[in-house]
């Protein structure tokens, strides 16, 4: 079974703090993704990575950066947290299954910025 | 703008009935299609993927794909209260590794 883990289930940070969210997958997947999910807005892609040290912006990259130094690990960084970044953050990984690139999600991190 | 559309619901069905969830997409070059289930407060869980026209069955779930009409559906047979969740449809176009997501359909199965 694919296993995607995230460093925290719940996190509370103050405005202006630097926040690190970490994601680890154990399936040797080449692709990893960071999403945020808000009521009524669905899943929105922040960044994704298709290889070590490679990254591409998603739909809402502003205020975020990412790091992928090892294949299994993908980090999301909020340089200076703001209240509008309060959200559920979801990490996913995908690899070729012979018919499709299936994405598997971690449990999510609910971040509250006060 | 590539789009994936789902009826937000809520779709309400009695226990034991068939629940039918639909999804339409705008990009004709879409290649792969996915259904996810998401319980409240939890992360999405992959139910099934489909990439060829026709039906694909897995237990009580059947995905149906019609590329000519640009829709994909999910049927849940013998619906159970534990099937009550939001169902997300996602589409991958061409060689793109990203998915385009619908907003989800909320399903309530009533005992």
């Amino acid at each position: 079974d694919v296993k995607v883990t995230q460093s925290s289930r719940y996190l509370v940070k103050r405005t202006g703090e630097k926040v690190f969210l970490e994601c680890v997958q154990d399936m040797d997947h080449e692709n990893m993704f960071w999403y945020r999910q808000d009521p009524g807005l669905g899943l929105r892609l922040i960044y994704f990575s298709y290889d070590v040290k490679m990254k591409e912006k998603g739909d809402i990259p502003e205020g975020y950066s990412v790091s992928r130094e090892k294949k299994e690990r993908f980090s999301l960084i909020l340089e200076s947290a703001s209240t509008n970044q309060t959200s559920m953050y979801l990490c996913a990984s995908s690899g070729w299954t012979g018919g499709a690139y299936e994405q598997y999600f971690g449990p999510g991190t609910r971040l509250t910025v006060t | 703008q590539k789009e994936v559309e789902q009826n937000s619901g809520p779709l309400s069905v009695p226990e034991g009935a068939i629940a039918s969830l639909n999804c339409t997409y705008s990009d004709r070059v879409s290649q792969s299609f996915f259904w996810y289930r998401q319980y409240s407060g939890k992360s999405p869980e992959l139910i099934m993927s489909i990439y060829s026209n026709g039906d694909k069955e897995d237990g009580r779930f059947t995905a149906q794909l019609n590329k000519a009409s640009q829709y994909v559906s999910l049927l849940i047979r013998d619906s159970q209260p534990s099937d009550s969740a939001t169902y997300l449809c996602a589409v991958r176009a061409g060689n793109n590794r990203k998915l385009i997501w619908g907003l989800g359909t909320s399903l309530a199965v009533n005992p």
Side-chain angles (χ1 to χ4, degrees):
Chain A
D1 278 355
V2 176
K3 186 78 170 178
V4 181
T5 58
Q6 295 184 229
S7 50
S8 305
R9 292 299 307 274
Y10 300 93
L11 208 53
V12 179
K13 295 291 181 181
R14 293 192 179 276
T15 301
E17 279 193 86
K18 192 169 186 176
V19 182
F20 294 87
L21 303 181
E22 293 208 316
C23 175
V24 177
Q25 52 96 3
D26 68 355
M27 281 302 293
D28 201 35
H29 283 169
E30 60 264 35
N31 307 307
M32 296 188 76
F33 306 82
W34 275 107
Y35 295 91
R36 64 178 284 178
Q37 188 174 33
D38 302 285
L41 297 178
L43 281 166
R44 293 183 290 167
L45 182 65
I46 304 171
Y47 268 97
F48 72 102
S49 169
Y50 51 90
D51 201 351
V52 175
K53 296 190 186 295
M54 305 302 288
K55 61 185 179 184
E56 282 196 27
K57 293 180 180 179
D59 301 317
I60 51 164
E62 296 79 18
Y64 303 95
S65 62
V66 290
S67 172
R68 193 168 181 199
E69 297 296 319
K70 293 185 177 181
K71 191 174 185 179
E72 68 271 18
R73 190 179 298 269
F74 192 35
S75 300
L76 179 70
I77 303 144
L78 286 66
E79 297 290 342
S80 177
S82 63
T83 54
N84 63 12
Q85 292 179 310
T86 291
S87 186
M88 169 72 96
Y89 288 88
L90 292 160
C91 175
S93 73
S94 76
W96 184 249
T97 60
Y101 279 103
E102 296 179 342
Q103 282 192 21
Y104 296 90
F105 285 84
T109 296
R110 185 162 295 281
L111 173 67
T112 301
V113 182
T114 61
Chain B
Q1 181 82 1
K2 299 170 186 175
E3 291 182 348
V4 174
E5 296 197 357
Q6 299 180 252
N7 189 324
S8 62
L11 174 66
S12 183
V13 300
E15 184 174 354
I18 296 175
S20 177
L21 304 159
N22 298 312
C23 172
T24 59
Y25 59 93
S26 61
D27 192 344
R28 285 198 168 273
V29 300
S30 297
Q31 297 278 339
S32 313
F33 307 84
F34 306 85
W35 283 101
Y36 286 79
R37 177 176 62 197
Q38 186 174 25
Y39 293 112
S40 180
K42 302 293 187 183
S43 61
E45 173 191 9
L46 179 66
I47 298 173
M48 111 179 6
S49 60
I50 185 169
Y51 39 87
S52 300
N53 273 328
D55 294 0
K56 180 180 178 183
E57 188 173 314
D58 184 359
R60 295 187 296 112
F61 298 96
T62 299
Q64 299 175 318
L65 175 60
N66 184 322
K67 289 186 178 181
S69 300
Q70 294 179 239
Y71 81 79
V72 56
S73 61
L74 180 70
L75 301 179
I76 307 174
R77 290 184 299 282
D78 188 25
S79 295
Q80 301 296 310
S82 59
D83 294 325
S84 299
T86 296
Y87 289 81
L88 301 172
C89 172
V91 173
R92 184 176 76 89
N95 293 323
N96 201 327
R97 298 181 192 222
K98 299 186 294 184
L99 297 180
I100 308 299
W101 294 85
L103 294 180
T105 297
S106 174
L107 171 67
V109 180
N110 305 308

